[in-house]
Amino acid sequence: MSQAVGKIPSPSQLADEHAIRDIIHLHCRGVDRADEVALKACYWTEASVSYGAEPAPAHPFCEGLVEAIRGFAQTHHVVSNIIVNFASADDPARATVETYLVAFHYLEDPDGEDSEMTYLGRYLDKFEKRGDRWKIIQRTPVMSWSQNAATSHDREHPALAALKTAARYPDDPVYER
């Protein structure tokens, strides 16, 4: 850990941490809404991701991820425990970030055998700041465990029937603003 634990961060460190968290949150929205533009905005053009045995270019990965996510009726990515470590006082434009993740993937089955895959893990990211922007330069997901279970969704339940339903880009209510 490159920073002193418990040390009060400077205002510029707080601003940088906030910008990094914004990217992590935007990435979750990009995945859940299958929004390729939002996903690519989180990565520098030469960034890589390590979702397989070998690192792959991030932007083409985002394109494939959008198609894969559309295979699920819904997904919901929740992040927490975001720990930011800046490289050093001499190099404040690089940071390593560990983010805890829980992701839910709802799969509708035509025969009514709906299921949910829940993934628990972490993102290990390397961020770079260029000018006044932070973006991911390298991402490695680390799985803790996953589980699959039969599930159901009662769209007609009186407490839920009037609520708007989440959708993919550009049909989700968030894009109506």
Side-chain angles (χ1 to χ4, degrees), residues 11-25:
S12 65
Q13 280 182 319
L14 288 174
D16 286 339
E17 285 185 22
H18 186 83
I20 288 168
R21 282 181 171 84
D22 279 353
I23 292 296
I24 292 167
H25 294 147

Side-chain angles (χ1 to χ4, degrees), residues 64-79:
L65 179 59
V66 165
E67 291 308 310
I69 287 297
R70 289 183 183 278
F72 294 95
Q74 293 290 334
T75 59
H76 195 89
H77 288 66
V78 181
V79 292

